[in-house]
């Protein structure tokens, strides 16, 4: 119930259009983030990055942005759902 109430409040705030966009694309992010996350982690380990914070920040950012990029490219190639 609390999540629903917070979501309703956030939806009314101006300037959070990107959050709604990410929410609308949550299925694409969910389906692709696992593969992307594994690849990002492998690259970070190969590069010698050991800090948990770097793995968390980079993994989260790429785990959300890369699936959105894949979704956009698939749409441009007319390979949508």
């Amino acid at each position: 119930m609390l999540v629903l109430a917070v979501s309703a409040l956030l939806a009314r705030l101006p300037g959070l259009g990107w959050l709604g966009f990410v929410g609308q694309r949550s299925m694409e992010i969910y389906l692709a983030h696992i593969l992307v996350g594994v690849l990002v982690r492998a690259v970070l380990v190969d590069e010698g990055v050991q800090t948990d914070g770097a793995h968390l920040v980079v993994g989260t950012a790429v785990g959300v942005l890369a699936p959105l990029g894949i979704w956009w490219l698939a749409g441009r190639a007319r390979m949508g759902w």
Side-chain angles (χ1 to χ4, degrees), residues 29-69:
I29 293 169
Y30 174 74
L31 292 174
H33 88 278
I34 297 170
L35 177 62
V36 172
V38 169
L39 294 174
V40 168
R41 183 161 190 242
V43 168
L44 289 174
V45 169
D46 284 347
E47 294 298 319
V49 177
Q50 298 294 325
T51 60
D52 293 337
H55 279 265
L56 183 65
V57 170
V58 173
T60 301
V62 176
V64 171
L65 295 175
L68 290 175

Side-chain angles (χ1 to χ4, degrees), residues 3-30:
V3 172
L4 184 60
V6 171
S7 298
L9 289 174
L10 287 175
R12 293 186 177 115
L13 291 176
L16 290 180
W18 63 272
L19 192 59
F21 174 75
V22 170
Q24 290 172 346
R25 303 274 64 93
S26 62
M27 181 60 76
E28 290 85 350
I29 293 169
Y30 174 74

